[in-house]
Amino acid sequence: MSKSFSRSVRHTGLISALIMAPCLAINAGVVSAETIQAQLGIAPNVPPPITRTQPATVVVNLEANEWVGPLSDNNNYEFWGFNKNVPGPMIRVMVGDTVEIRLKNHKDSKEAHNIDFHAITGPGGGASLLNSEPGQESGGKFKMIIPGIFLYHCATASPSIPEHIANGMYGTIVVEPVGGLPKVDKEFYVVQSEFYTKDGEKGETLEFSFENGLDERPSHVVYNGNASSLVKNPLRAKAGNTVRIFLTNAGPNFVDSLQILEQPFDRVYSEGSLTSPPAENVKVTKVPAGGAVMAELKVKAGTYTIVDPVKDRKDKGALGLLKVD
Ligand SMILES: [Cu+2]
């Protein structure tokens, strides 16, 4: 166990396809990989691409929070999330890195929280190591062995895993393949998700509805945790830029359809795979619940409309803008 962990750490451990020794120096004479602090991207911002050529130990500090904040122009909501933002930060690492996750659950939380990383090979995606009661901290070290774009989410069973997800406890981790991703001009981080609220008047703070969740009847389908996040604050690029969107579908129920009304995507890396060749010239791509996509297009001047065109989802918030100067 790392000495840098605080005394309140309850669990620590290491999961990969091969269980690693708790020290990175495998043999005498081999120097440990450098330890660096992760640069976290707060949506729609993306952490910078990996320029390292050697794996590192990347420390990621996350905090579980419960707070009241705006879900739409009309209503607040009782969010649960990571680092007091929905979605939680985007984490960017590379194959071969050891990711050291430290999850603190804020002392004012009412619930226990943890994290299941879809990037992690092993039982529960590390969730059992990261269980944190209010006011406590947990940690684990995980070796990244599979490249791709992956969801991470809280997987605490009480009151139910879907409730933790539906309240906002998710984010994205990108594990770059060796050699990195092709360079582009602009990158954006977007998470689509559903919220299931009880009815409420304008101005009221809305509460989670377990029944509407069971019935798969969301009141809101949104990008980046708010029904007007990408309309009030459009994504911005310049004419001639190649734009890359990392879009994760946190669900918890719907399969998303991702479309830009004005132009097909030049390339779509489906289902979060960064090692399969991209599909080219795609107008609408689907993103399963718990899945992700990397979609790229070269843009001209104008305003582009990002939308999930299914039924009335755009009226529930699944609408965004990309403005190109
Ligand atoms: Cu949780």
Side-chain angles (χ1 to χ4, degrees):
M1 178 171 158
S2 165
K3 284 181 180 166
S4 60
F5 274 66
S6 73
R7 291 185 65 194
S8 63
V9 170
R10 297 191 310 127
H11 304 283
T12 189
L14 206 53
I15 291 182
S16 76
L18 297 170
I19 300 298
M20 292 175 60
C23 175
L24 283 175
I26 297 167
N27 296 308
V30 176
V31 178
S32 295
E34 65 169 337
T35 297
I36 57 175
Q37 196 72 28
Q39 288 182 277
L40 302 177
I42 304 303
N45 299 311
V46 171
I50 306 289
T51 54
R52 291 180 281 114
T53 55
Q54 295 297 316
T57 295
V58 184
V59 178
V60 180
N61 289 296
L62 295 173
E63 183 175 71
N65 305 106
E66 301 167 9
W67 75 99
V68 173
L71 175 59
S72 70
D73 293 347
N74 291 338
N75 295 97
N76 282 348
Y77 183 72
E78 296 178 2
F79 290 100
W80 301 349
F82 296 108
N83 292 20
K84 221 168 179 184
N85 200 73
V86 177
M90 178 169 154
I91 304 162
R92 191 168 195 168
V93 294
M94 64 181 257
V95 168
D97 283 350
T98 297
V99 177
E100 182 175 324
I101 306 287
R102 299 172 183 176
L103 175 64
K104 185 178 176 183
N105 189 356
H106 195 277
K107 63 177 174 48
D108 295 338
S109 295
K110 297 188 184 76
E111 304 290 336
H113 299 292
N114 65 24
I115 310 179
D116 173 344
F117 281 89
H118 288 193
I120 290 172
T121 306
S128 60
L129 296 172
L130 297 172
N131 280 321
S132 302
E133 297 292 333
Q136 291 190 321
E137 184 179 330
S138 300
K141 288 182 181 177
F142 310 96
K143 180 132 185 189
M144 297 292 112
I145 56 174
I146 300 172
I149 308 162
F150 300 101
L151 176 76
Y152 67 82
H153 65 88
C154 184
T156 300
S158 171
S160 75
I161 295 172
E163 183 165 341
H164 284 259
I165 298 172
N167 281 340
M169 302 204 81
Y170 40 73
T172 299
I173 180 167
V174 174
V175 184
E176 294 199 13
V178 173
L181 298 174
K183 196 175 175 324
V184 294
D185 302 302
K186 291 287 287 185
E187 296 184 316
F188 298 106
Y189 168 36
V190 180
V191 176
Q192 182 169 335
S193 64
E194 303 116 44
F195 283 84
Y196 298 84
T197 73
K198 295 177 183 169
D199 291 340
E201 297 297 317
K202 185 174 179 177
E204 286 182 22
T205 295
L206 302 178
E207 293 177 22
F208 175 71
S209 166
F210 186 77
E211 291 71 27
N212 289 346
L214 274 183
D215 291 346
E216 302 184 15
R217 279 193 294 116
S219 52
H220 303 72
V221 183
V222 306
Y223 294 131
N224 291 349
N226 185 291
S228 59
S229 61
L230 298 186
V231 174
K232 286 190 164 174
N233 296 295
L235 309 180
R236 291 192 176 273
K238 289 193 166 65
N241 281 175
T242 296
V243 171
R244 169 182 289 158
I245 299 172
F246 295 98
L247 185 133
T248 302
N249 174 15
N253 290 317
F254 286 175
V255 175
D256 296 349
S257 300
L258 173 64
Q259 179 182 17
I260 288 189
L261 292 183
E262 292 78 11
Q263 187 177 314
F265 295 108
D266 298 330
R267 287 168 298 283
V268 169
Y269 296 77
S270 299
E271 298 181 1
S273 173
L274 295 176
T275 45
S276 305
E280 295 181 330
N281 303 319
V282 173
K283 183 60 178 172
V284 188
T285 187
K286 65 180 182 298
V287 192
V293 72
M294 184 171 93
E296 298 170 354
L297 73 165
K298 188 170 182 175
V299 292
K300 307 181 195 78
T303 299
Y304 291 74
T305 315
I306 305 161
V307 68
D308 184 333
V310 175
K311 286 187 177 172
D312 55 357
R313 291 181 191 176
K314 70 174 176 17
D315 300 320
K316 292 183 172 181
L319 180 72
L321 300 176
L322 165 62
K323 290 203 168 178
V324 182
D325 301 327

